[in-house]
Amino acid sequence: MTMRDQGSRSFRRREVLKRGAALAGSAALPGGLATQASAAPSGTLVVAAPATPQSLDSNFDVSLGTFEAIAALYDNLLEFKKMPDPKVPGAFREDIADHPDMPAGLAVQGKLAESFELDPAGKFIRFQLRQGVKSNWGNELTAEDVKWTWDRKFGLKAIGAFYLSTLGLDKPEGVKVEGKYTVSINLDNPNPLLAKLQPNLYAPIYDSTKCKQMATADDPWARKFIENNSAGFGPYRLDQLQRGQQAVFKARPDYYLGKPAMDTVIFREVPTSATRASLLQGGAVDIAQYLQPLEIMKLRDQKGVAVDSVDSSFMIWLELNAKIEPFGNPKVRQAMNFAFPQQQVLKTVFQGLAEPLTGCMPNIYAGFTDKFWKYKYDPEMAKALLKEAGLGSGFKTSLAYNAGDPVQEPIAILYQTALREIGVELELKKVPAATFYNAVSERKQPMIFYVDSPWCPDVGYSMTLYFNSDSFVNYSNYKNDEVDKLIKDTARTNDQKARVEMMTKAQEIVMSEAPWVFISYPGYHFARRSNLKGFTYYTANNIRFQDFSRDA
């Protein structure tokens, strides 16, 4: 899904209430987290985050905080190999490039699976599991755990159903236990994502023994238990969860890859960006997440603080609803792009930290192209296109934005001013953070902001997510029969060269028809104490506590 798609979306990130704004000027926070340096043990990691996990069930929750919890408590069958970030010394990232000489054409390796076998035709994948791997409840990993995990996706028909659809896995019998430590996924039709989806953050494996113990007749898939507890094979166990305050994680000494360096992780809810930045600067926390651009710029000059800014899969754009006039007309959508002051937004709102969004998928994914980008700010071109569309006198419309995202309102105001030059009157609608995603998913707004990233680093997955007319994340209601056919054909072949050729054509069509107003690639900016090492960028745009260690 995306996530913020889910991703994984790519699932989507639920927007966070900006509660507690008054804390920005306080000397201390609830729970005794002072703004000045504390005497936390060297093995303790303190994170200031916008929100604590709302649920621990990856089948239902995609909110901020939940991502980090899932990555700490659970593991996947496969993972991408890591590589040094080419631009940021000391940082690492997943190697998501195409590697034709490697198994599956990917730099993937076993995690819970010791090895795997992929059908060259893309119709099955078989895993040999590691033996002796224990969950946080002491139960050994077996093929039955993998089978139960996939059966749960079928049974709950929630986020997991998206992955089933993406793979074309339409019946539980497709997941077969072939031995105590051998399990396979079998498809009726070839699918190029059989291996590439396995590292996805929201494809973890559950301890089915524990889950079955906690299940009831009314709750056969242990939803109530998994929402508040963990049953996984990951590096941490949950020690405490106080929603709205903090979550505490303890490293597992019996973790099959070795106990993490950070023995205790305190994940504190600090709703305001300014307070998170202040806590980091004062040394009270080790990591401050999701800071505003101005705060990131200021922190770069602070002693004892470091900011790692890496290329990411994040994108921000405006949905143009093709079912609400006049946005059913591609010429109008093109005009809205030529009228968007992209460079001004990048300079004044993002403080130069973002790159222009010059395509309709992440520019870090193999198969991306920007050769169809043409929408540089040109109000005269915009006027001409509106005239061709029969709207030479302009029109009135509205733009909805998230009150909880600090960059959206200033972008909206700049755009409102720019549109007056071409005769378009834009009403701005501030939507509370708690209900913003509902406003997106209802698809009733003519224009609305969206921030997202496809969690599976694949050209076909990305294009399917946003531009397949049947996709639940196609919030612009875009439909083009040729694009739909290209997407369908791309999902049925393992020939990567052919897939890229088809998706290049699809990108050409989409960029010409402009279902979005293209804003930026905002990047991923990781603010930390300078003695904290091990940052790795993941396409799910989350951190994993097990990566970190501290200089002596």
Side-chain angles (χ1 to χ4, degrees):
M1 300 239 18
T2 79
M3 295 219 70
R4 265 173 168 152
D5 139 315
Q6 144 216 29
S8 278
R9 95 187 147 42
S10 94
F11 266 11
R12 304 163 298 255
R13 295 184 184 272
R14 182 182 302 159
E15 303 299 333
V16 180
L17 283 168
K18 296 197 75 178
R19 302 185 301 272
L23 291 175
S26 65
L29 299 175
L33 187 59
T35 57
Q36 297 303 310
S38 60
S42 60
T44 297
L45 180 72
V46 184
V47 182
T52 49
Q54 297 306 297
S55 170
L56 300 177
D57 192 339
S58 61
N59 256 280
F60 293 95
D61 194 277
V62 294
S63 60
L64 292 173
T66 297
F67 299 133
E68 277 73 22
I70 298 300
L73 301 172
Y74 294 93
D75 267 355
N76 295 58
L77 292 170
L78 303 179
E79 66 178 351
F80 286 103
K81 295 179 180 179
K82 308 302 189 297
M83 57 180 275
D85 189 279
K87 298 181 181 179
V88 181
F92 297 85
R93 64 190 302 118
E94 294 173 307
D95 183 353
I96 59 173
D98 289 337
H99 293 278
D101 57 328
M102 295 183 178
L106 306 168
V108 293
Q109 61 189 9
K111 200 166 188 184
L112 289 177
E114 189 171 49
S115 62
F116 70 97
E117 172 192 358
L118 180 66
D119 172 28
K123 294 184 69 172
F124 74 82
I125 187 169
R126 180 177 292 111
F127 303 97
Q128 297 295 330
L129 304 180
R130 294 179 187 267
Q131 298 184 27
V133 174
K134 299 294 182 68
S135 76
N136 59 303
W137 296 100
N139 299 313
E140 186 184 16
L141 171 72
T142 72
E144 294 291 346
D145 296 309
V146 180
K147 171 64 174 170
W148 187 89
T149 296
W150 283 90
D151 284 352
R152 189 173 192 262
K153 292 178 171 62
F154 280 100
L156 293 175
K157 298 179 176 62
I159 289 176
F162 171 83
Y163 292 98
L164 299 174
S165 174
T166 300
L167 288 178
L169 182 60
D170 56 9
K171 54 184 179 296
E173 293 77 19
V175 182
K176 299 179 180 178
V177 173
E178 301 183 5
K180 185 175 182 180
Y181 304 107
T182 307
V183 62
S184 62
I185 300 175
N186 305 269
L187 307 177
D188 292 332
N189 297 296
N191 190 291
L193 300 181
L194 257 179
K196 192 175 276 190
L197 266 180
Q198 302 306 321
N200 192 287
L201 178 63
Y202 269 34
I205 303 302
Y206 289 103
D207 172 2
S208 63
T209 301
K210 181 62 178 180
C211 292
K212 289 176 181 177
Q213 290 173 356
M214 305 308 297
T216 66
D218 293 335
D219 185 15
W221 300 106
R223 282 190 59 183
K224 293 179 181 177
F225 174 73
I226 292 175
E227 183 179 40
N228 300 293
N229 298 276
S230 63
F233 300 92
Y236 286 86
R237 63 174 176 82
L238 182 67
D239 187 64
Q240 178 189 111
L241 177 57
Q242 296 174 286
R243 290 180 175 85
Q245 297 185 42
Q246 70 176 19
V248 179
F249 303 86
K250 291 288 187 178
R252 291 181 50 204
D254 61 342
Y255 181 53
Y256 67 99
L257 294 178
K259 182 181 179 181
M262 292 300 176
D263 182 72
T264 301
V265 178
I266 302 173
F267 195 80
R268 302 299 298 267
E269 179 165 321
V270 183
T272 61
S273 176
T275 306
R276 295 194 296 275
S278 177
L279 290 168
L280 179 64
Q281 182 179 344
V285 303
D286 299 291
I287 297 170
Q289 292 189 300
Y290 303 108
L291 301 178
Q292 297 181 30
L294 275 173
E295 291 159 357
I296 292 169
M297 297 297 293
K298 291 177 181 177
L299 285 173
R300 284 180 167 176
D301 298 326
Q302 300 301 313
K303 184 178 180 180
V305 175
V307 179
D308 300 314
S309 294
V310 299
D311 295 335
S312 79
S313 60
F314 270 143
M315 302 180 287
I316 180 170
W317 68 88
L318 304 180
E319 304 278 10
L320 297 176
N321 195 329
K323 290 188 176 180
I324 298 179
E325 293 303 330
F327 299 125
N329 188 327
K331 290 186 181 295
V332 175
R333 301 196 299 260
Q334 292 170 1
M336 297 299 285
N337 274 280
F338 280 114
F340 183 72
Q342 189 183 61
Q343 290 300 318
Q344 184 182 11
V345 166
L346 295 176
K347 180 179 180 180
T348 62
V349 179
F350 289 102
Q351 299 294 307
L353 291 174
E355 296 180 3
L357 182 61
T358 55
C360 51
M361 61 175 283
N363 59 359
I364 65 171
Y365 290 179
F368 164 84
T369 179
D370 61 0
K371 65 182 180 180
F372 306 118
W373 170 252
K374 60 182 180 181
Y375 300 110
K376 293 185 178 180
Y377 180 63
D378 187 342
E380 294 306 314
M381 175 65 78
K383 289 178 185 177
L385 286 164
L386 288 183
K387 186 175 182 179
E388 291 178 29
L391 295 170
S393 299
F395 62 92
K396 295 180 180 180
T397 189
S398 63
L399 169 60
Y401 67 93
N402 183 355
D405 186 332
V407 304
Q408 292 189 18
E409 185 172 73
I411 293 173
I413 292 172
L414 288 173
Y415 195 26
Q416 182 186 50
T417 300
L419 284 174
R420 292 193 184 108
E421 289 191 44
I422 65 169
V424 174
E425 183 178 333
L426 186 67
E427 176 190 0
L428 302 184
K429 295 182 177 180
K430 180 184 290 190
V431 180
T435 59
F436 183 76
Y437 177 67
N438 291 336
V440 173
S441 59
E442 288 171 354
R443 310 185 192 202
K444 294 180 179 179
Q445 300 296 326
M447 300 173 64
I448 193 166
F449 277 86
Y450 199 51
V451 183
D452 204 11
S453 60
W455 283 6
C456 181
D458 181 79
V459 60
Y461 181 96
S462 300
M463 295 298 290
T464 299
L465 197 66
Y466 302 121
F467 307 113
N468 184 338
S469 60
D470 292 329
S471 172
F472 73 98
V473 190
N474 180 0
Y475 296 127
S476 58
N477 288 313
Y478 175 73
K479 180 174 174 56
N480 179 287
D481 291 340
E482 185 177 359
V483 170
D484 280 346
K485 184 179 185 305
L486 288 165
I487 285 172
K488 182 178 181 180
D489 291 345
T490 298
R492 292 183 175 180
T493 177
N494 272 347
D495 185 335
Q496 187 63 3
K497 181 179 179 181
R499 297 180 76 240
V500 169
E501 288 176 355
M502 287 187 283
M503 289 298 91
T504 297
K505 180 59 178 178
Q507 289 177 75
E508 179 181 13
I509 296 170
V510 168
M511 293 303 294
S512 174
E513 297 194 333
W516 301 350
V517 172
F518 300 89
I519 299 179
S520 78
Y521 295 109
Y524 188 92
H525 308 282
F526 179 65
R528 59 178 172 87
R529 297 299 300 176
S530 57
N531 66 344
L532 190 68
K533 307 299 182 183
F535 167 61
T536 300
Y537 171 74
Y538 298 90
T539 54
N541 297 289
N542 74 313
I543 58 173
R544 307 193 181 180
F545 310 142
Q546 57 269 32
D547 292 335
F548 297 109
S549 61
R550 202 188 308 275
D551 283 347

